[in-house]
Amino acid sequence: MATILKHNRCILISIFKFPVEVTRPSRAPGANAQVADVAVVKVRPTYGYYKVNGVTGHVSVHLEIWVEGGDVATLINRVRGCTAFATNVEGVREEINYVPFPPNKVVYVTEESDIRIDFDTDLVLWEGYATVSLLGGWSDADIFFDHERYL
């Protein structure tokens, strides 16, 4: 499901992405070695764009990442990856390296950049990935996001 918000020259697009399951060996007393605990990492990317002047635009991606399930100690302690923005004139890559302090169940990560653009074609592409690391022996969650839009 997508939510699109337009205001003057600014566009924000929020899209809910599919959850990613993470596992760890079960910590239940007497549990079989093949039994695993399961939690879910979810992400909601919001893609932003606004026009700065006749040849420049400003692009951004805001990631809301949260974990459901697990126990009280199942917290996000690092988000690493990259995001890329592209138009028919220029491409920009930004590294994601976010360490929340203290670790939390919900984190917000923002990457943004100015980018040259040809307003005759008005095409903007956003894409990227992030690896979410959790405390408590959980496997990492790899999340991917991408979007394209004619403005």
Side-chain angles (χ1 to χ4, degrees):
M1 173 150 202
T3 303
I4 300 175
L5 175 68
K6 290 185 180 183
H7 178 70
N8 284 343
R9 295 173 295 183
C10 179
I11 295 176
L12 292 175
I13 304 156
S14 182
I15 300 173
F16 179 76
K17 299 302 260 186
F18 293 104
V20 177
E21 287 188 351
V22 292
T23 60
R24 70 174 178 196
S26 180
R27 294 186 173 182
N32 184 325
Q34 296 175 346
V35 176
D37 293 333
V38 177
V40 176
V41 174
K42 295 184 177 181
V43 61
R44 180 180 297 119
T46 300
Y47 307 100
Y49 168 80
Y50 67 86
K51 182 177 177 179
V52 175
N53 58 40
V55 294
T56 305
H58 187 83
V59 289
S60 62
V61 63
H62 311 280
L63 302 175
E64 177 185 8
I65 304 168
W66 69 98
V67 61
E68 294 178 354
D71 52 25
V72 259
T74 304
L75 302 172
I76 299 170
N77 71 334
R78 170 171 266 173
V79 179
R80 297 186 74 173
C82 76
T83 185
F85 311 107
T87 65
N88 62 334
V89 179
E90 182 180 32
V92 178
R93 180 181 171 184
E94 297 287 334
E95 295 294 322
I96 299 172
N97 189 11
Y98 180 73
V99 179
F101 183 79
N104 209 330
K105 286 268 190 193
V106 180
V107 297
Y108 301 92
V109 179
T110 299
E111 293 296 332
E112 57 190 339
S113 178
D114 286 337
I115 193 166
R116 290 182 302 142
I117 191 163
D118 175 2
F119 289 103
D120 291 334
T121 56
D122 292 341
L123 176 65
V124 178
L125 305 169
W126 298 262
E127 68 177 33
Y129 73 92
T131 299
V132 180
S133 300
L134 305 173
L135 294 177
W138 294 93
S139 60
D140 290 341
D142 292 322
I143 53 177
F144 299 90
F145 51 92
D146 67 333
H147 187 70
E148 64 182 55
R149 176 116 180 136
Y150 285 96
L151 304 172

